[in-house]
Amino acid sequence: MLCSLKDLGLLHYFLGIEVHRYAGGMYLKQTKYIRDLLKKFNMEKSSSCPTPMVTGKQFIAKGELIANPTLYRQAIRALQYLTNTRPDITFFVNKLNQYMSSPTIDHWQGIKRILRYLHGTTNLCLHIKPSTDFDISRFSDAD
């Protein structure tokens, strides 16, 4: 059995990732995905915050457990997918991921903080550009 292929043109949207091309490269962002995520967790009308986590915040495995841990797990999974184009939240999502077996109210507040941060930064994107330089570039803000 032979299958024919159909050319759909340049990629613009795939699996929740929006692709915007220009002469020097492309931008990948998940604006619609973030808006859908905020709506799913009833955070679309929340106020935004400037950072995904409070500086110096320590999470512990003790505290009052949340009533619906399934909701917490769904939020973590959704945020993990979002880290494909939003590396700025990766550390915090992975930190909260450590408490999936028994999330507390404090952990849920951490999820809500990340969602509030995303609410104010929906248009941030990942910039990809071609390069002949094969050195890996990295940035760090190590105070």
Side-chain angles (χ1 to χ4, degrees), residues 5-139:
L5 297 176
K6 184 176 180 181
D7 184 3
L8 299 175
L10 293 176
L11 179 65
H12 296 290
Y13 189 81
F14 184 69
L15 295 175
I17 300 173
E18 303 161 44
V19 180
H20 299 279
R21 296 177 183 271
Y22 74 105
M26 68 177 82
Y27 292 101
L28 304 177
K29 65 181 181 176
Q30 292 179 283
T31 303
K32 183 184 179 320
Y33 184 82
I34 292 171
R35 287 187 183 133
D36 292 344
L37 191 61
L38 292 170
K39 187 174 183 179
K40 179 178 181 173
F41 294 104
N42 297 317
M43 297 287 290
E44 69 267 22
K45 294 181 181 176
S46 65
S47 60
S48 61
C49 59
T51 59
M53 196 61 63
V54 177
T55 305
K57 176 72 173 167
Q58 298 292 320
F59 289 105
I60 57 173
K62 295 180 181 178
E64 184 181 346
L65 298 177
I66 62 172
N68 187 357
T70 302
L71 190 64
Y72 182 86
R73 293 177 187 121
Q74 289 173 347
I76 285 289
R77 281 191 223 105
L79 289 171
Q80 282 180 324
Y81 182 69
L82 188 58
T83 62
N84 290 323
T85 60
R86 296 294 299 269
D88 54 331
I89 64 169
T90 302
F91 175 80
F92 309 106
V93 172
N94 287 334
K95 192 65 163 169
L96 290 168
N97 187 30
Q98 296 173 7
Y99 304 99
M100 279 184 55
S101 61
S102 54
T104 65
I105 291 174
D106 195 33
H107 302 136
W108 180 246
Q109 292 302 320
I111 294 282
K112 288 173 66 174
R113 173 75 185 214
I114 294 171
L115 291 171
R116 289 178 53 220
Y117 170 73
L118 292 171
H119 185 270
T121 60
T122 55
N123 287 318
L124 288 184
C125 56
L126 189 62
H127 182 215
I128 298 176
K129 61 182 179 178
S131 174
T132 57
D133 182 13
F134 293 111
D135 292 335
I136 296 175
S137 298
R138 66 228 163 259
F139 302 93

